[in-house]
Amino acid sequence: MKKIASTLLVAGTLASTALMADGAITAVKVNTNLDKVSYNSGVWKDAKFSSVTLYPQTTIKFNDKKANEKNAEPKAITAEIAAVYNGQRIAFMIKWPDGTKNVQYAGRTDSYADGFAVQFASNYSNPKELPYIGMGSEGRQVVIHLQKETVKIYEPNGNGDVWHQVNPNQTHLFGKDLAAFNKEVASIGNGDYERSYVGEGFRSMTEIKDGSNNSYSRIGYTGNGWSGTLSRDMKDAYVDLHADAIPVAFAIWDGENMGRNGLKYLTGWTSVELKKGSELTKALSGVVGGDIEAGKQAVAENCASCHQITPADAPSLMGPSLTNIGGYASADYIRESMMKPSAVVVPGYNRNAHSAYAWYNLEDGKRVSTMPDFSWLEAAQMDNIVAYLKTLKAEVK
Ligand code: HEC
């Protein structure tokens, strides 16, 4: 059986409080121009990096046997993340370990790239009601910046990169062809993948193509991992990041394990502090008082019939897997899920493909969760359940 932070399961005590504080990221104010920041920009020397852990998103079983085998026992990944801002722009850098470099070949659908995303909430005035961490949800809009390593490649015969099939130095033999080839590569190959989306859940994601988001993102492999950067305006039509602290979520994809779409690693909403000691940091800190052992029992009684709780359980059919919920959901989010199941209906679930186990019903065009309302639970029991669910997360690689 796989151990899930079992050292945290201190029997019958109020042990959770200090153990689970997730850190904030300190944004450093700089006077530098942040229009086009990359991973080798000098500005990062002034930045403060914090360790932030990204957990495998196991909400929905992926519909790909081979990919599922490769990700049978996913481990969490710890990244180093920093932020700098100058009042008009804000920039982020995320560095994460990855022993294998996987790049996206333009025009090919069978290649899986390493990449990362940075996500912002359009409305974060109430930290207890942030958007669904995956891609937002109905009524809770997010903006997502996505970047993957893409190479310029041209392979008309399907045997891989032509560049490596010919010796490019033999220009006396095919200099002309080579020049034509290079020109064609430049026109077909897309050397940069950067994209931005706005949406309220999986199927609503819309690419922002009019440049109104004014962002700039780069990615580079350093031999044992990736460094990715994003710089963007602090305010645009979709978000306003002028605040003491802003909630930001990060995701990474591992191409080696066929990662794409929902097959990713992600942080919970993480407080990026422009000013120290904000309310947001407190709300997202993950500090929960509760009896973890009692919570475990309450979950077994009330929740396990619909949810997979540990990876050792048979996958449940009725609801999302909660095996990593403690890694990417805040305590408030878990509480809201029990008190008001329909406030956030987990998106990404295909109602037509699984009609026997609907996660939601449509009532007047609105999604209504099929999860029962647990607001009748005693407050203390609710705390116990939240404290226990916050311990559910994969070990770090
Ligand atoms: C009858 C089945 C059922 C029971 C019992 C049930 N749930 Fe759920 N739960 C669901 C369904 C279906 C969803 C997905 C739809 C939604 O978001 O409401 C869900 C969603 C969730 C989510 C959001 C997951 C995510 O990935 O964001 C959490 C957290 C959750 N449930 C916790 C609980 C807890 C805690 C209990 C027990 C106190 C419980 N559930 C009992 C069916 C159930």
Side-chain angles (χ1 to χ4, degrees):
M1 210 182 89
K2 209 163 124 25
K3 280 181 278 152
I4 302 201
S6 54
T7 46
L8 293 183
L9 302 179
V10 184
T13 61
L14 289 160
S16 58
T17 310
L19 293 168
M20 278 172 282
D22 309 320
I25 294 166
T26 305
V28 175
K29 179 112 197 241
V30 295
N31 293 319
T32 321
N33 180 311
L34 297 176
D35 287 350
K36 290 193 170 173
V37 173
S38 82
Y39 41 86
N40 44 30
S41 296
V43 70
W44 300 113
K45 282 201 284 291
D46 302 322
K48 192 170 176 296
F49 281 87
S50 305
S51 297
V52 181
T53 304
L54 296 95
Y55 291 89
Q57 184 168 23
T58 41
T59 312
I60 300 178
K61 202 164 164 56
F62 211 63
N63 191 14
D64 179 331
K65 196 165 168 247
K66 202 165 151 210
N68 286 341
E69 278 167 17
K70 278 180 176 281
N71 295 280
E73 277 194 48
K75 295 262 197 296
I77 296 171
T78 298
E80 298 294 315
I81 303 179
V84 292
Y85 70 105
N86 64 10
Q88 199 238 332
R89 301 272 289 177
I90 186 163
F92 299 84
M93 166 125 116
I94 172 168
K95 299 189 279 189
W96 73 98
D98 186 346
T100 47
K101 179 180 178 182
N102 298 90
V103 298
Q104 180 84 36
Y105 293 99
R108 279 176 60 166
T109 52
D110 62 340
S111 73
Y112 305 107
D114 298 326
F116 74 100
V118 185
Q119 176 175 272
F120 301 92
S122 290
N123 180 351
Y124 51 95
S125 56
N126 181 357
K128 290 186 193 307
E129 295 182 357
L130 291 173
Y132 173 68
I133 193 70
M135 292 182 184
S137 47
E138 267 181 354
R140 298 188 188 183
Q141 180 178 282
V142 294
V143 169
I144 297 179
H145 300 270
L146 179 61
Q147 179 62 289
K148 297 197 242 181
E149 179 79 331
T150 312
V151 290
K152 292 183 176 183
I153 185 165
Y154 178 56
E155 42 164 356
N157 62 8
N159 289 336
D161 186 351
V162 177
W163 185 266
H164 292 106
Q165 293 176 45
V166 299
N167 180 345
N169 298 320
Q170 291 185 327
T171 46
H172 63 288
L173 288 180
F174 34 77
K176 241 188 173 168
D177 303 321
L178 208 58
F181 161 68
N182 283 339
K183 220 174 136 200
E184 188 134 18
V185 168
S187 68
I188 294 177
N190 176 7
D192 182 51
Y193 185 87
E194 179 178 358
R195 287 172 197 184
S196 301
Y197 298 88
V198 59
E200 300 180 7
F202 186 52
R203 261 170 237 87
S204 74
M205 298 312 291
T206 309
E207 190 173 351
I208 305 170
K209 285 182 169 164
D210 60 1
S212 58
N213 59 309
N214 197 16
S215 62
Y216 183 87
S217 175
R218 285 294 176 267
I219 185 170
Y221 195 67
T222 56
N224 49 16
W226 290 96
S227 294
T229 51
L230 165 76
S231 68
R232 52 157 293 141
D233 286 349
M234 291 185 68
K235 187 173 167 114
D236 63 18
Y238 314 101
V239 294
D240 184 353
L241 306 178
H242 291 283
D244 290 353
I246 49 172
V248 185
F250 302 85
I252 57 183
W253 283 265
D254 183 7
E256 186 67 14
N257 285 340
M258 301 171 76
R260 74 270 196 194
N261 308 332
L263 194 55
K264 62 179 184 278
Y265 298 81
L266 80 170
T267 67
W269 285 112
T270 305
S271 177
V272 174
E273 291 191 321
L274 286 70
K275 235 190 220 158
K276 264 261 156 266
S278 76
E279 285 301 312
L280 182 72
T281 305
K282 254 182 262 163
L284 298 179
S285 70
V287 175
V288 192
D291 181 331
I292 292 171
E293 220 17 70
K296 184 179 179 182
Q297 210 172 324
V299 165
E301 284 162 16
N302 295 290
C303 326
S305 56
C306 290
H307 292 285
Q308 182 188 38
I309 307 298
T310 78
D313 300 337
S316 66
L317 296 161
M318 292 293 286
S321 166
L322 300 182
T323 50
N324 281 288
I325 195 79
Y328 45 73
S330 71
D332 285 326
Y333 174 80
I334 296 172
R335 206 178 288 277
E336 184 186 59
S337 297
M338 287 189 279
M339 306 280 284
K340 293 187 252 168
S342 296
V344 170
V345 175
V346 176
Y349 158 82
N350 188 335
R351 196 164 186 275
N352 298 323
H354 304 90
S355 54
Y357 308 105
W359 285 13
Y360 63 88
N361 292 311
L362 283 174
E363 288 177 20
D364 297 331
K366 244 194 118 17
R367 293 178 179 190
V368 177
S369 175
T370 54
M371 172 167 156
D373 182 331
F374 282 93
S375 48
W376 54 268
L377 281 170
E378 271 175 43
Q381 190 70 315
M382 187 82 73
D383 288 345
N384 297 343
I385 291 175
V386 175
Y388 172 63
L389 291 185
K390 281 297 287 176
T391 69
L392 297 182
K393 45 186 164 183
E395 291 164 38
V396 177
K397 208 179 250 172

